[in-house]
């Protein structure tokens, strides 16, 4: 989202620096992806420690989200849910999350009417890169990044490997050099 960092004072007391940004909601999805905001569903989800919650619908009817959950919880989720869930985006979200020990708040936006699969947006990255040595023991939303699921589908396994290679090697977005450059900027 577009945003900027701001210093916040309340009644003359400094509360620190905050990231003032657009809200992940149906109106934002409509602005960026087209269609009306009534076409979109926006979902809030958080990690409870071992699994992601099913998500709370805060824009839209929730029907598209319910269909998506049924597909990813059924047989062959990688194949069956591809029209409802942006799988490469979900993998990228998980790579960011596990590499940074970030808080696991996620927002999802999708539209059946607009043919837009749900996309993951990291909501609360204030803890990002807080402890890079800590292993994250969670397979993410719907357990879609579980090693057992990856082993069951060679195409999915290759997609995960391709996304890792793209981001962590050859000047990818998550190489140390690119992270340092972003931090210095």
């Amino acid at each position: 989202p577009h945003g900027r960092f701001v210093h916040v004072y309340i009644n003359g007391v400094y509360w620190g620096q905050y990231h003032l940004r657009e809200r992940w909601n149906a109106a934002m999805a409509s602005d960026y992806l087209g269609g009306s905001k009534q076409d979109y569903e926006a979902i809030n989800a958080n990690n409870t420690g071992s699994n992601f919650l099913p998500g709370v619908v805060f824009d839209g009817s929730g029907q598209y989200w319910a269909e998506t959950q049924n597909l990813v919880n059924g047989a062959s989720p990688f194949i069956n849910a591809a029209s409802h869930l942006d799988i490469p985006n979900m993998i990228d979200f998980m790579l960011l999350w596990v590499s940074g020990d970030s808080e696991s708040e996620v927002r999802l936006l999708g539209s059946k009417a607009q043919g837009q699969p749900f996309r993951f947006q990291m909501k609360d990255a204030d803890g990002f890169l807080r402890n890079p040595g800590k292993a994250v023991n969670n397979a993410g939303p719907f357990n879609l990044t579980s090693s057992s699921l990856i082993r069951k589908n060679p195409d999915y396994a290759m997609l995960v490997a391709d996304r890792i290679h793209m981001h962590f090697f050859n000047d990818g977005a998550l190489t140390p050099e690119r992270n340092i450059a972003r931090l210095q900027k």
Side-chain angles (χ1 to χ4, degrees):
H2 290 102
R4 69 178 81 172
F5 288 96
V6 297
H7 294 279
V8 175
Y9 293 84
I10 299 176
N11 295 328
V13 177
Y14 183 66
W15 282 74
Q17 188 178 57
Y18 289 77
H19 185 209
L20 182 65
R21 60 160 177 76
E22 293 176 288
R23 185 178 185 149
W24 298 109
N25 61 17
M28 180 184 171
S30 170
D31 287 345
Y32 284 92
L33 303 171
S36 73
K37 68 180 183 178
Q38 287 76 22
D39 291 339
Y40 288 89
E41 291 184 10
I43 311 300
N44 286 343
N46 294 296
N47 184 329
T48 62
S50 61
N51 280 316
F52 271 75
L53 294 172
V56 176
V57 178
F58 68 90
D59 280 331
S61 68
Q63 289 179 309
Y64 189 44
W65 182 239
E67 287 176 25
T68 303
Q69 289 182 64
N70 288 334
L71 290 171
V72 297
N73 288 318
S76 302
F78 173 69
I79 295 166
N80 294 337
S83 64
H84 284 59
L85 194 62
D86 185 330
I87 302 289
N89 165 265
M90 187 268 312
I91 294 168
D92 291 349
F93 166 81
M94 285 304 298
L95 291 176
L96 273 175
W97 184 53
V98 300
S99 67
D101 186 27
S102 186
E103 292 182 31
S104 55
E105 293 180 53
V106 61
R107 301 301 180 256
L108 297 104
L109 301 170
S111 170
K112 187 172 190 172
Q114 294 295 319
Q116 295 286 343
F118 281 102
R119 289 183 176 88
F120 291 74
Q121 285 83 31
M122 191 169 291
K123 161 69 169 76
D124 194 357
D126 64 338
F128 192 67
L129 296 179
R130 131 181 80 199
N131 185 358
K134 179 183 172 195
V136 175
N137 186 19
N138 190 302
F142 310 110
N143 290 313
L144 283 172
T145 57
S146 71
S147 58
S148 63
L149 181 61
I150 292 169
R151 282 193 298 269
K152 286 179 187 175
N153 188 312
D155 291 333
Y156 183 54
M158 184 53 68
L159 181 59
V160 171
D162 287 346
R163 303 305 287 186
I164 290 170
H165 187 265
M166 179 176 81
H167 293 303
F168 288 95
F169 299 93
N170 301 320
D171 201 36
L174 295 175
T175 58
E177 298 78 19
R178 295 282 299 273
N179 280 321
I180 290 167
R182 268 190 301 280
L183 180 62
Q184 289 176 337
K185 183 179 177 190

